[in-house]
Amino acid sequence: MKNMKILYLYGDSNTYGYNPLASCYEDGRLPEESRWPTILQKSLKESIQILEDGQNGRCLPGYEAEFKRFQKVLGRFDRLDYFAVMLGTNDLLNQSSHDSLEISNHMELLLQAVKAIHEECLCIVISPPKMGFPAGHPMNSYQEENVKLGALYSDVAEKYKARFVDAGKWDIDLFSDGIHLTEKGNRQFAGHMVSALKKMKI
């Protein structure tokens, strides 16, 4: 539709819909109708078109060449009404030592890159979902840093007059790897996103 607004959704495997239980002979992606961006699109109906860009293993850009590639992709669109980003999980998991501040700095640079191409765009920063690593788990320190990252993302969003969605506070069903959303988790996540966008009057 001519008046349909555009929401570019930039994320990692939890946006892509990765299925960690799939064998190498199967499609490693959850069914389209089970993925949260698809469910969200159905809820938004024809008011907003979601352009889904999820990639397994994606981290926030950190080098000039990465930002240039990213901006080249965004430059293909005449306009973007909304840019939503949910990244940070892989950044945390790939660090030799925890540094949520470094990751939040990369998020800040990403928002700058978006606004340089699409000044008209409203950015939406979504904190990574809670990891399934409770106290006593050998990887619990990653979840503790994930909480810190959410707070830093909130500050970055406020600085750039973006909207912030604290997905890290949601109780979402995960696969046994403690990272990826199950089909149930995708439905839960979509429901929370619908409510979050309504609060933003989107």
Side-chain angles (χ1 to χ4, degrees):
M1 291 180 65
K2 186 176 180 180
N3 296 325
M4 183 181 291
K5 293 187 175 182
I6 299 173
L7 188 158
Y8 195 96
L9 182 56
Y10 190 62
D12 54 24
S13 53
N14 270 327
T15 299
Y16 176 80
Y18 176 67
N19 179 5
L21 299 184
S23 73
C24 60
Y25 302 103
E26 299 175 296
D27 182 6
R29 200 175 187 187
L30 295 171
E32 182 177 3
E33 65 275 10
S34 299
R35 303 195 293 263
W36 74 264
T38 304
I39 301 170
L40 179 61
Q41 178 66 83
K42 289 180 179 178
S43 297
L44 297 173
K45 298 180 181 178
E46 296 183 350
S47 61
I48 295 177
Q49 178 187 2
I50 294 178
L51 303 178
E52 180 185 337
D53 184 0
Q55 178 180 302
N56 292 338
R58 176 177 279 156
C59 295
L60 286 156
Y63 300 98
E64 184 178 356
E66 293 176 317
F67 282 108
K68 285 183 177 179
R69 286 196 297 270
F70 171 72
Q71 289 183 311
K72 186 176 181 180
V73 172
L74 292 192
R76 297 172 185 167
F77 303 98
D78 293 331
R79 81 170 206 285
L80 288 179
D81 299 283
Y82 308 106
F83 175 85
V85 53
M86 185 172 74
L87 288 172
T89 299
N90 292 305
D91 304 71
L92 280 173
L93 294 174
N94 289 334
Q95 285 182 330
S96 55
S97 59
H98 300 321
D99 190 350
S100 52
L101 181 59
E102 179 186 37
I103 298 170
S104 71
N105 288 339
H106 288 171
M107 177 61 79
E108 185 169 349
L109 292 172
L110 182 76
L111 297 188
Q112 291 176 5
V114 173
K115 300 298 278 188
I117 300 295
H118 289 286
E119 188 178 358
E120 78 286 355
C121 182
L122 174 65
C123 294
I124 304 169
V125 179
I126 308 168
S127 68
K130 183 191 301 181
M131 298 178 181
F133 307 139
H137 191 284
M139 294 184 69
N140 175 251
S141 60
Y142 289 96
Q143 169 53 24
E144 291 178 345
E145 202 68 21
N146 195 37
V147 173
K148 295 178 185 177
L149 184 62
L152 290 168
Y153 276 3
S154 177
D155 292 340
V156 171
E158 183 177 1
K159 180 177 179 179
Y160 288 90
K161 297 181 180 179
R163 302 293 184 268
F164 175 64
V165 179
D166 195 355
K169 290 186 176 179
W170 301 341
D171 186 16
I172 302 294
D173 194 57
L174 302 173
F175 282 106
S176 57
D177 64 2
I179 296 171
H180 295 99
L181 311 180
T182 63
E183 291 191 40
K184 178 182 177 181
N186 271 268
R187 292 192 298 271
Q188 293 170 327
F189 197 93
H192 284 297
M193 280 301 301
V194 169
S195 297
L197 293 181
K198 282 183 179 178
K199 287 181 181 178
M200 299 177 201
K201 298 183 179 179
I202 294 175

